[in-house]
Amino acid sequence: MFASCDTKHKEFSPPAFDKQINVKYSVVQDTFLLKSPREIISFDNYIVINVLTDNNNLHVYDKQTGDYLGGYVTRGQGPEEIATWCESLDYNKNEKKVTVLEVNTNQYFIFTVNDDPENLLTFDSKKDFTENSKEGIERPSNLFIIDENLYLLDSRVYPPSENHNRRFSLRTEAGEKTSEYNDFSTDDFWAYTGASQRVSVSPNRMKLAHATFYGAVLETFKIGNTIDFIQEKLFYPIILEDKNNMSSIPTDETIQGFLDICTSDEYIFSILIGSKESNNKNISVFDWNGDPVIRFNTDIDLYNICYNKEDNSIYAVAMTEDYDYMLVKFDISNYLAPS
């Protein structure tokens, strides 16, 4: 058992996977010219990777052949271009929309997914949910399209305030807030912000998973007319050094938690390190109550993962022993039924 003074002496217990399987990967693309990918998603016959390369932010590959199909979301100053770089990559299969957040301006770019693989994404619109109040600036870090008139927003107030903060909210197209959830499982504010957190919404848009990179706290929520808490799992304590309430940094005792997560309608897939040193050769699977289901042990370092329902497989950005990135696939159809 672990305890941390930063989380009011809550008790932590590492997940116990009764079922562990060694799995082999197959190579989708080993001539991978992209460096340090940020995010990866997969739908239909495509793999989409978020990394700024050759002046494009999003890069599309054929999941079967590994062929490069083109770059999208150009960097620039134009009305349909990203001025800095983008994060919070998401796909809504019902609306056939891809969304990304432009860092610094906090504007969300929405793209329509076309049937033509040579012209897969076209610009649709922009959304800006940034708000100013007496408590500070409410800045979004993730946005998910729930349906054609409803958005799930993940945002925080900066500078952080003990009594006034934000977390998840449902917003209409016009920006009206219809529901919100502002509690945190622990009091480590900076572990729930920016690059320190991992967030995923299920493909049916009915559930939300949140995980921390520092320590390992996994929370799940139900999305409907309201945002309802399902469960919290405190796996590893969050140990960070506070820097005058303006940021937190890891220490020599900091445990690395969830490197990445993605979701299906039934499961939460993750790369869970669970130690002070990197150990990212696994895909750890949980149900939506946060209970361990199965751990797939691999023989390669994984950095980003995504689930594709069409072939019930996990696609991943991996790194070879020569420090080259490549795209790999794990077929999990023998172990988990598609949801």
Side-chain angles (χ1 to χ4, degrees):
M1 303 294 288
F2 298 89
S4 171
C5 60
D6 293 332
T7 55
K8 298 180 181 178
H9 301 288
K10 285 193 173 184
E11 293 184 344
F12 293 79
S13 180
F17 290 91
D18 294 332
K19 189 174 184 180
Q20 298 199 35
I21 303 293
N22 295 328
V23 293
K24 298 292 185 180
Y25 64 87
S26 59
V27 176
V28 178
Q29 175 57 263
D30 60 358
T31 308
F32 198 36
L33 301 179
L34 309 180
K35 297 299 181 182
S36 300
R38 296 176 177 274
E39 299 162 293
I40 178 174
I41 58 174
S42 182
F43 56 88
D44 301 334
N45 198 46
Y46 308 108
I47 300 170
V48 182
I49 299 173
N50 174 19
V51 56
L52 181 59
T53 301
D54 294 333
N55 226 36
N56 290 310
N57 284 276
L58 301 187
H59 300 268
V60 181
Y61 288 82
D62 186 301
K63 74 174 186 181
Q64 295 179 335
T65 65
D67 291 342
Y68 181 65
L69 302 179
Y72 296 88
V73 191
T74 304
R75 184 177 187 179
Q77 300 295 326
E80 301 178 8
E81 297 176 327
I82 298 286
T84 53
W85 66 90
C86 58
E87 294 179 345
S88 185
L89 174 63
D90 182 57
Y91 170 69
N92 182 305
K93 67 176 182 179
N94 295 324
E95 302 296 324
K96 298 197 72 173
K97 304 290 186 184
V98 165
T99 57
V100 293
L101 169 68
E102 182 179 22
V103 175
N104 292 343
T105 66
N106 293 293
Q107 288 186 314
Y108 275 89
F109 284 63
I110 302 173
F111 299 87
T112 298
V113 177
N114 305 308
D115 294 329
D116 181 5
E118 296 184 358
N119 184 34
L120 187 65
L121 302 178
T122 54
F123 177 78
D124 178 277
S125 58
K126 284 191 228 180
K127 299 292 294 184
D128 188 349
F129 287 111
T130 303
E131 295 182 358
N132 295 328
S133 68
K134 62 181 180 180
E135 290 87 18
I137 302 175
E138 183 175 343
R139 299 178 58 183
S141 57
N142 289 283
L143 177 139
F144 304 92
I145 298 176
I146 302 302
D147 60 38
E148 61 181 359
N149 188 44
L150 193 64
Y151 299 83
L152 173 64
L153 194 67
D154 171 23
S155 58
R156 305 289 182 272
V157 171
Y158 297 94
S161 169
E162 182 176 352
N163 299 318
H164 300 281
N165 223 301
R166 305 288 186 271
R167 198 169 187 196
F168 303 120
S169 62
L170 293 173
R171 309 287 183 102
T172 66
E173 178 74 23
E176 177 188 0
K177 186 182 295 185
T178 61
S179 178
E180 59 184 332
Y181 181 94
N182 294 324
D183 292 335
F184 298 83
S185 286
T186 72
D187 57 0
D188 308 281
F189 173 80
W190 293 104
Y192 296 82
T193 63
S196 299
Q197 64 172 354
R198 306 291 183 261
V199 184
S200 181
V201 169
S202 61
N204 62 12
R205 318 316 263 184
M206 296 177 65
K207 294 185 286 288
L208 163 71
H210 182 282
T212 63
F213 173 67
Y214 295 120
V217 175
L218 176 62
E219 301 165 288
T220 55
F221 305 86
K222 181 181 178 181
I223 307 300
N225 294 326
T226 58
I227 305 168
D228 299 311
F229 179 74
I230 299 176
Q231 188 59 270
E232 70 176 20
K233 294 293 183 178
L234 308 177
F235 295 134
Y236 297 98
I238 300 170
I239 303 172
L240 297 171
E241 180 182 346
D242 187 27
K243 303 295 287 186
N244 299 320
N245 203 34
M246 293 305 296
S247 67
S248 289
I249 60 174
T251 73
D252 292 340
E253 299 302 314
T254 299
I255 298 171
Q256 299 179 50
F258 290 95
L259 182 60
D260 198 16
I261 66 170
C262 65
T263 55
S264 70
D265 292 339
E266 187 172 2
Y267 300 110
I268 300 167
F269 303 94
S270 71
I271 305 171
L272 177 57
I273 297 175
S275 65
K276 299 176 186 178
E277 305 296 331
S278 293
N279 178 24
N280 50 331
K281 289 182 168 68
N282 72 85
I283 300 173
S284 299
V285 186
F286 302 85
D287 63 24
W288 279 95
N289 286 318
D291 294 323
V293 175
I294 187 173
R295 169 169 279 182
F296 298 111
N297 295 310
T298 79
D299 58 356
I300 193 168
D301 289 327
L302 305 177
Y303 289 88
N304 307 98
I305 57 173
C306 61
Y307 174 73
N308 188 294
K309 180 179 180 178
E310 280 73 22
D311 57 3
N312 197 21
S313 295
I314 297 290
Y315 291 87
V317 174
M319 181 178 284
T320 69
E321 294 181 353
D322 296 325
Y323 302 103
D324 293 322
Y325 287 105
M326 65 179 181
L327 279 173
V328 299
K329 171 185 175 180
F330 297 93
D331 185 349
I332 61 172
S333 58
N334 290 332
Y335 311 105
L336 295 174
S339 59

